[in-house]
């Protein structure tokens, strides 16, 4: 392997997160908690800041020797720095000066405490939600693409199914909750159905419109190259409609998150939505925030994965939606 | 020998009309009769909208005649099939496949790709697209895309190759190159070629016979034998005479401006 010949160097912007973090740490250690702050104090926020400081110092050292990474981090550094600054301001507004009601807006260290103390249970809830989401999402996707192909391709399927889609489709799948909960034997299957329905509708509509919009000339060329009808469907119609199918899947993904949370808040036992709702009822807002953070991280990870897949499959297209 | 009858196209009393939205019939082809010999190079020339594309689509099996029939080696054409390759004016490459996959498409759908893999590269080489195997259609120029489309049709070894103004969008220089490439392929393979063109010079340069069609409803106005040896010089007197003759038939000659070189 050839050694990289990039000259070592430091972009000062890479120091921004480190400066922001050091400032937060100093303030947090030097400023005592507010006189009226009655709760027990913890060191989780201090620990978090030190951990981040270590991470970003290591990152900085790597950027000295790695030109591409340096460019990337330098670009992001302002954003990261400001994000830590805002967290610091929030810390000041809560534990240090008590400017906002601490019961609804707990200080960072209390929220971080939840991850440490209740982390295992949060993970369990995450696993439960994940199982529900994956089962419902995959079945909705597959059925949506299949229905979309049939409706987009065949006039008789279009005749029989299209009106049904038009009537059933626009009903938000959360509106089915009362019926689903009694119609299905378990709340798990009911939720799978609801999530599946939420994904199925946009996927079907955009698959079928994508397929019926495929240029006729592609089918004609394909036929003169020896393709059968089935091959025309799977080698021409589907790949050509892929950009549209992906938009359907993307809409479906967002709808599935929404449905998952609603289903869990309304009737399903376990899961992150249920956890948040339960903690809210118990007025433990730190746990609510921990649940929200877990959801945010997980969902944005899933969306990123989806876009990675899209970029792989649609390399022939230039990015239309950027994430 | 069986091979001798490969690629013979016959049209017998072919009528084709389209129905306008108002319900009126528009005849695109009116009693077209023509017999094209195996391995012959035929050009179709005629005013715009006269039915040339319609004729090619009937031979390709993409449309059906309202009456009469078109046959390939005596068998009625009812469907599209790989033995009748088609190249449109617009290259119509599949944008989701790279150039190599586009060219390999026919072999893959026919499930003969494994045995004929090397031919894909041969044809890419033949049309001068080496090094662009991994490129996607939108990264190619118009001329390159058209050459890829040609390779994609040729790799199937069709008995008949139908070309609908394939070089219409190319600049004069690329066009002449492509004409020579096409002649080379034709000499090599003895594929029956039916080519629609607007360019009288192109028709004379390439064809064994030129079918001149009249304006709608299209009839065959005349079929002209081009009995000149190859390669043909575009400035040979025979060539120029032939051009004048065809333009006269097309009724264009009268409308032409005074040529600059008149003495
Ligand atoms: N699908 C169609 N529907 C209605 N009219 C058509 C259709 N295809 C062709 N036509 C008409 O048939 C005539 C011949 O068309 P075409 O074969 O494309 O002409 P060209 O000689 O220019 O290739 C034209 O008048 C055209 O408007
Ligand atoms: Mg035409």
């Amino acid at each position: 392997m050839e050694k990289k010949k990039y000259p070592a160097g430091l972009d000062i912007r890479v120091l921004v997160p480190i400066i922001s973090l050091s400032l937060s740490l100093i303030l947090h250690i030097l400023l005592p908690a507010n006189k009226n702050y009655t709760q027990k104090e913890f060191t989780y926020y201090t620990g978090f800041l030190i951990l981040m400081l270590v991470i970003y110092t290591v990152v900085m050292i790597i950027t000295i020797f790695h030109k591409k990474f340096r460019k990337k981090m330098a670009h992001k550094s302002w954003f990261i720095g400001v994000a830590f600054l805002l967290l610091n301001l929030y810390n000041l507004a809560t534990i240090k000066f008590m400017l906002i009601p601490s019961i609804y807006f707990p200080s960072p260290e209390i929220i971080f405490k939840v991850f440490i103390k209740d982390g295992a249970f949060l993970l369990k809830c995450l696993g439960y939600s994940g199982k529900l989401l994956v089962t419902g999402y995959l079945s909705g996707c597959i059925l949506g693409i299949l229905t979309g192909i049939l409706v987009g391709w065949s006039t008789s399927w279009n005749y029989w199914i299209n009106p049904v889609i038009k009537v059933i489709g626009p009903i938000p799948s959360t509106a089915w909750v009362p019926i689903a909960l009694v119609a299905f034997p378990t709340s798990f299957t009911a939720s799978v159905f609801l999530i599946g329905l939420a994904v199925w509708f946009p996927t079907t509509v955009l698959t079928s419109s994508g397929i019926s919009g495929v240029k006729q000339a592609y089918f004609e060329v394909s036929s003169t190259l020896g393709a059968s009808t089935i091959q025309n469907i799977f080698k021409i119609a589907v790949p050509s409609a892929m950009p549209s199918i992906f938009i359907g899947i993307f809409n479906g993904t967002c709808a599935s998150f929404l449905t998952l949370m609603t289903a869990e808040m309304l009737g399903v036992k376990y899961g992150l939505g249920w956890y948040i709702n339960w903690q809210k009822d118990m007025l433990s807002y730190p746990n609510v925030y921990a649940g929200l953070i877990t959801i945010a991280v997980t969902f944005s990870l899933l969306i990123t994965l989806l876009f990675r897949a899209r970029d792989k499959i649609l390399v022939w297209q230039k990015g239309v939606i950027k994430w | 020998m069986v091979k001798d009858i490969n690629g013979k196209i016959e049209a017998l009393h072919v009528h084709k009309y389209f129905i306008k939205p108002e319900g009126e019939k528009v005849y695109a082809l009116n009693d077209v009769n023509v017999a094209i010999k195996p391995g012959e190079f035929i050009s179709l020339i005629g005013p715009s909208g006269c039915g040339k594309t319609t004729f090619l689509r009937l031979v390709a099996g993409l449309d059906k005649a309202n009456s009469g029939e078109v046959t390939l080696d005596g068998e009625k054409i009812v469907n599209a099939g790989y033995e009748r390759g088609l190249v449109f004016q617009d290259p119509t490459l599949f944008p989701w496949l790279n150039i190599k996959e586009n060219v390999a498409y026919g072999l893959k759908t026919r499930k003969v790709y494994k045995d004929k893999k090397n031919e894909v590269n041969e044809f890419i080489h033949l049309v001068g697209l080496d090094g662009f195997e991994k490129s996607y259609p939108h990264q190619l120029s118009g001329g390159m895309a058209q050459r890829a489309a040609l390779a994609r049709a040729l790799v199937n070894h069709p008995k008949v190759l139908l070309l609908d103004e394939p070089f219409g969008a190319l600049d004069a220089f690329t066009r002449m190159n492509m004409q020579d490439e096409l002649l080379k392929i034709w000499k090599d393979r003895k594929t029956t070629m039916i080519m629609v063109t607007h360019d009288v010079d192109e028709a004379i340069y390439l064809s064994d016979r030129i079918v001149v069609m009249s304006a709608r409803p299209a009839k065959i106005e005349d079929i002209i034998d081009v009995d000149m040896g190859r390669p043909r010089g575009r400035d040979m007197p025979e060539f120029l005479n032939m051009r004048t003759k065809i333009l006269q038939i097309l009724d264009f000659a009268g409308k032409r401006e005074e040529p600059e070189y008149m003495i």
Side-chain angles (χ1 to χ4, degrees):
Chain A
M1 280 272 289
E2 205 186 334
K3 253 193 98 181
K4 285 194 188 92
K5 290 189 210 97
Y6 301 131
L10 177 69
D11 191 315
I12 5 180
R13 282 180 291 170
V14 179
L15 297 176
V16 172
I18 298 176
I19 294 167
S20 176
L21 278 165
S22 312
L23 190 73
S24 304
L25 192 59
I26 291 168
L27 268 177
H28 184 60
I29 292 172
L30 292 187
L31 267 182
N34 192 284
K35 288 194 293 295
N36 301 327
Y37 190 77
T38 50
Q39 292 177 64
K40 199 175 158 224
E41 286 185 54
F42 298 95
T43 51
Y44 297 114
Y45 182 53
T46 322
F48 170 78
L49 289 177
I50 291 172
L51 181 68
M52 286 295 133
L53 207 49
V54 170
I55 289 176
Y56 279 96
T57 310
V58 171
V59 162
M60 181 204 65
I61 291 168
I62 295 173
T63 63
I64 292 177
F65 302 104
H66 201 298
K67 197 178 171 192
K68 234 172 137 185
F69 188 57
R70 185 192 318 153
K71 264 188 134 169
K72 198 175 149 191
M73 288 315 297
H75 178 69
K76 287 187 173 173
S77 59
W78 281 110
F79 182 84
I80 297 168
V82 170
F84 284 128
L85 184 76
L86 290 176
L87 183 62
N88 186 33
L89 289 180
Y90 180 73
N91 189 47
L92 292 181
T94 50
I95 186 170
K96 303 297 181 191
F97 295 108
M98 292 192 73
L99 300 175
I100 41 182
S102 63
I103 180 157
Y104 301 122
F105 301 102
S107 67
E109 59 181 43
I110 306 279
I111 300 175
F112 286 121
K113 189 192 107 194
V114 177
F115 282 110
I116 306 290
K117 297 282 178 213
D118 215 13
F121 190 63
L122 266 173
L123 264 183
K124 223 169 140 186
C125 286
L126 179 65
Y128 191 87
S129 290
K131 205 170 116 195
L132 198 57
L133 186 69
V134 169
T135 317
Y137 181 79
L138 286 185
S139 32
C141 255
I142 292 167
L143 286 176
I145 291 174
L146 286 179
T147 330
I149 291 172
L150 288 170
V151 172
W153 183 268
S154 132
T155 40
S156 54
W157 273 83
N158 193 1
Y159 176 83
W160 289 108
I161 302 297
N162 208 21
V164 180
I165 296 172
K166 277 199 183 130
V167 173
I168 305 277
I171 303 174
S173 73
T174 47
W176 293 98
V177 168
I179 297 168
L181 286 181
V182 293
F184 285 87
T186 61
S187 65
F188 183 85
T189 46
S191 310
V192 166
F193 166 77
L194 291 172
I195 293 167
L197 189 67
V199 183
W200 173 82
F201 173 62
T203 309
T204 300
V205 170
L206 278 137
T207 302
S208 83
S209 85
I211 290 206
S212 45
V214 178
K215 272 210 293 193
Q216 189 61 26
Y218 292 147
F219 295 122
E220 292 181 342
V221 170
S222 169
S223 302
T224 63
L225 291 170
S228 62
T229 307
I230 291 288
Q231 284 173 325
N232 272 343
I233 295 176
F234 288 101
K235 300 187 102 177
I236 302 293
V238 173
S240 177
M242 240 343 147
S244 179
I245 294 176
F246 256 101
I247 296 175
I249 290 178
F250 177 74
N251 291 345
T253 308
C254 299
S256 75
F257 294 163
L258 188 73
T259 311
L260 174 69
M261 288 302 122
T262 316
E264 286 184 343
M265 288 183 175
L266 286 181
V268 182
K269 296 276 175 283
Y270 303 124
L272 285 171
W274 164 82
Y275 180 85
I276 290 175
N277 208 35
W278 173 51
Q279 297 295 340
K280 183 206 76 185
D281 289 344
M282 308 218 321
L283 277 185
S284 356
Y285 272 79
N287 298 59
V288 172
Y289 285 101
L292 282 175
I293 292 169
T294 312
I295 289 171
V297 171
T298 315
F299 286 181
S300 89
L301 236 119
L302 289 178
I303 294 276
T304 308
L305 270 179
L306 183 67
F307 274 81
R308 284 276 158 81
R310 192 196 78 111
D311 289 346
K312 266 260 159 64
I313 294 172
L314 296 184
V315 271
W316 55 277
Q317 248 221 341
K318 287 173 191 158
V320 190
I321 320 170
K322 280 258 183 222
W323 182 253
Chain B
M1 241 170 81
V2 184
K3 203 169 176 4
D4 284 346
I5 56 154
N6 265 355
K8 184 172 103 185
I9 293 285
E10 274 183 302
L12 271 178
H13 301 295
V14 171
H15 293 258
K16 174 75 189 173
Y17 57 79
F18 295 99
I19 296 172
K20 277 205 202 168
E22 309 91 76
E24 190 193 335
K25 279 184 192 172
V26 183
Y27 270 88
L29 297 173
N30 198 9
D31 196 25
V32 167
N33 294 282
V34 65
I36 297 165
K37 288 175 249 162
E40 200 174 12
F41 201 129
I42 293 281
S43 283
L44 293 181
I45 199 162
S48 196
C50 74
K52 306 178 295 290
T53 299
T54 306
F55 180 72
L56 285 198
R57 291 177 60 85
L58 292 181
V59 178
L62 296 173
D63 280 330
K64 287 190 175 63
N66 297 101
S67 66
E69 60 179 27
V70 187
T71 59
L72 167 65
D73 296 330
E75 270 185 58
K76 189 170 172 178
I77 294 167
V78 286
N79 275 323
Y82 76 92
E83 71 284 357
R84 282 157 287 128
L86 179 61
V87 180
F88 288 109
Q89 169 162 18
D90 174 14
T92 327
L93 294 173
F94 305 131
W96 57 92
L97 300 179
N98 66 28
I99 298 311
K100 185 167 182 182
E101 291 162 341
N102 260 285
V103 175
Y105 183 86
L107 298 180
K108 282 183 181 163
T109 52
R110 290 165 50 221
K111 305 207 162 50
V112 293
Y113 180 64
K114 280 218 173 91
D115 308 329
K116 300 191 171 183
K117 248 181 207 161
N118 50 330
E119 289 197 30
V120 173
N121 290 326
E122 276 169 35
F123 277 97
I124 288 176
H125 175 70
L126 185 79
V127 298
L129 287 176
D130 306 271
F132 289 93
E133 291 86 351
K134 293 264 173 340
S135 302
Y136 281 91
H138 73 263
Q139 298 167 312
L140 263 54
S141 72
M144 290 158 85
Q146 194 56 281
R147 281 183 274 157
L150 192 60
R152 180 176 63 176
L154 286 168
V155 82
N156 263 335
H157 294 264
K159 292 180 186 172
V160 182
L161 187 60
L162 307 164
L163 302 141
D164 195 351
E165 301 182 38
F167 310 142
L170 307 185
D171 62 89
F173 181 72
T174 316
R175 173 192 285 235
M176 292 208 279
N177 271 341
M178 291 290 289
Q179 289 168 354
D180 287 329
E181 289 301 329
L182 191 64
L183 274 185
K184 241 193 271 168
I185 292 160
W186 172 69
K187 275 190 193 137
D188 215 44
R189 316 286 282 284
K190 280 291 155 197
T191 308
T192 308
M193 300 273 187
I194 309 178
M195 173 170 185
V196 170
T197 177
H198 271 133
D199 181 346
V200 178
D201 283 10
E202 181 170 85
I204 303 171
Y205 186 72
L206 295 173
S207 322
D208 292 323
R209 288 191 295 162
I210 300 174
V211 176
V212 184
M213 294 173 87
S214 68
R216 255 186 323 115
K219 284 192 164 177
I220 293 178
E221 188 76 32
D222 204 346
I223 300 182
I224 298 159
D225 275 301
V226 188
D227 45 4
M228 297 163 67
R230 287 188 176 87
R232 295 168 181 172
R234 290 169 214 260
D235 46 6
M236 295 196 309
E238 300 161 87
F239 199 106
L240 299 175
N241 289 341
M242 181 74 69
R243 178 205 279 161
T244 314
K245 184 176 162 189
I246 292 169
L247 287 174
Q248 263 162 8
I249 297 171
L250 279 169
D251 202 17
F252 285 172
K255 291 173 202 152
R256 265 200 311 170
E257 287 171 10
E258 296 278 284
E260 290 164 354
Y261 48 81
M262 228 175 62
I263 307 166

